[in-house]
Amino acid sequence: MVTSSHAAWSLAIHGGAGTMTREKLTPDQQARHREGLAVARDAGAKVLAAGGAALDAVEAAVRVLEDDPCFNAGRGAVFSYDGRNELDAAIMDGAGRRAGAVAGVVGVRSPIGLARAVMDDGMHVFLSGVGAEAFARGKGLELADPEWFVTAERRRQLEELKARKIGTFDVDLKYGTVGAVARDMAGHVAAATSTGGLTGKRWGRIGDSPVIGAGTYADDRSCAVSATGAGELFIRANVAAQICTRMRLLGESAQQAADAVIAEVGELGGDGGVIIAGVDGSTAFSFNTPGMYRARADSAGLSEVAIFARE
Ligand code: ASP
């Protein structure tokens, strides 16, 4: 996998890792995903190029992906087994390691905006379910009818899973979580992740995305990480925090640390991937699936959108 050059600001995003191959995705599907990734990346890059904070950049990029029905977050989120869109999200600021996270949220337009509100409020780090929804209403955040999140494709995936009596890990194109990591001109890093979780997940199931240290982590002493994949394994391997710690204590590069931790996930029987923004301005991707929707940009002119492992 490739590591970018050092830069004054940098941003990387993902739209999920999974079984996508050139044969499985139609040219139209490929084009729609690439377009969606480019728009989200540019929204984040614009914040950073104007001297804005990494925290604002990752939120801006993830909000765009949440509203894009191609991805499993916000609108277009997958369904739980009983047909609901229960959303998880987290955001973390590498400066001071402040964090906000929400799990199992229904009817809030932007789960990442809600996670940010939890962080800014400062009293708690992690809110769930009806308590998180009440908090959103109290803060005056935009709500959305449950129908807003529904897409025909996600319904079809749930019906297929039920008809075939297969588990959540066997659905094709399974991971579509979105995330962003960035380093700003002031040298701060931040990470954000938002997801509908896994198709057919059990009511009340929480994945890795909102778990600080598993699917999301940021630390100005090393890097920012956002993950996508088999959440249970990412929680058990403490993926995002492990990558940051390896860089800080072992002196590994972002790529080395990410590859080592993704290999551990593989040994445990899981698949997926991560994006990393180092405090040195580098970015890296690592995944053990055939593809990962991803994009990045930096102040040195790097500009990339990719789906498949080899491109
Ligand atoms: N990691 C997410 C979860 O387990 C799923 C994904 O990446 O799409 O909830």
Side-chain angles (χ1 to χ4, degrees):
M1 312 280 162
V2 191
T3 305
S4 73
S5 59
H6 297 187
W9 63 260
S10 59
L11 173 101
I13 65 170
H14 70 79
T19 55
M20 50 279 210
T21 58
R22 287 178 205 278
E23 297 69 43
K24 280 188 184 165
L25 285 185
T26 65
D28 179 56
Q29 284 174 322
Q30 292 185 34
R32 280 191 292 123
H33 282 92
R34 287 182 199 276
E35 171 65 17
L37 289 166
V39 171
R41 179 202 55 194
D42 294 348
K46 194 172 154 196
V47 173
L48 295 166
L55 193 63
D56 295 328
V58 294
E59 182 183 349
V62 167
R63 276 179 180 268
V64 171
L65 293 167
E66 284 181 335
D67 272 359
D68 186 333
C70 283
F71 302 99
N72 171 22
R75 190 176 200 194
V78 299
F79 287 96
S80 64
Y81 196 84
D82 51 3
R84 284 155 48 99
N85 300 116
E86 295 180 5
L87 310 176
D88 299 340
I91 192 163
M92 187 159 181
D93 187 0
R97 279 172 283 159
R98 296 182 310 139
V102 294
V105 170
V106 175
V108 176
R109 165 92 179 249
S110 173
I112 202 65
L114 177 53
R116 173 77 189 259
V118 171
M119 189 189 88
D120 288 344
D121 180 73
M123 182 183 289
H124 300 299
V125 167
F126 205 170
L127 295 180
S128 71
V130 290
E133 289 150 24
F135 179 84
R137 284 193 297 277
K139 290 286 178 187
L141 301 189
E142 188 178 352
L143 305 177
D145 188 85
E147 283 306 305
W148 162 260
F149 302 97
V150 171
T151 60
E153 175 60 12
R154 298 301 187 195
R155 270 209 195 285
R156 189 197 62 72
Q157 288 173 354
L158 178 64
E159 295 316 320
E160 183 194 325
L161 175 139
K162 287 185 166 180
R164 289 169 56 199
K165 294 192 172 40
I166 55 177
T168 52
F169 293 110
D170 306 317
V171 185
D172 220 13
L173 278 182
K174 44 202 169 189
Y175 312 123
T177 290
V178 308
V181 292
R183 190 257 196 208
D184 62 28
M185 287 200 242
H188 300 302
V189 294
T193 313
S194 184
T195 189
L198 298 177
T199 300
K201 66 184 181 181
R202 194 184 181 97
W203 179 82
R205 178 263 187 190
I206 299 170
D208 61 312
S209 309
V211 176
I212 298 302
T216 307
Y217 203 71
D219 182 346
D220 270 4
R221 298 173 298 177
S222 53
C223 67
V225 181
S226 172
T228 172
E232 282 68 11
L233 284 305
F234 280 65
I235 293 173
R236 287 164 52 194
N238 192 218
V239 167
Q242 286 295 322
I243 292 171
C244 292
T245 304
R246 290 183 76 107
M247 287 179 69
R248 184 164 64 87
L249 299 182
L250 300 180
E252 292 181 344
S253 68
Q255 195 68 60
Q256 288 169 327
D259 289 348
V261 177
I262 290 299
E264 264 184 50
V265 171
E267 283 159 21
L268 292 175
D271 58 359
V274 287
I275 54 173
I276 299 108
V279 283
D280 62 358
S282 65
T283 52
F285 302 117
S286 183
F287 51 99
N288 63 1
T289 46
M292 180 164 80
Y293 296 117
R294 61 198 188 277
R296 61 181 165 179
D298 71 21
S299 57
L302 178 74
S303 176
E304 188 179 303
V305 176
I307 300 177
F308 310 110
R310 259 178 233 100
E311 66 172 298

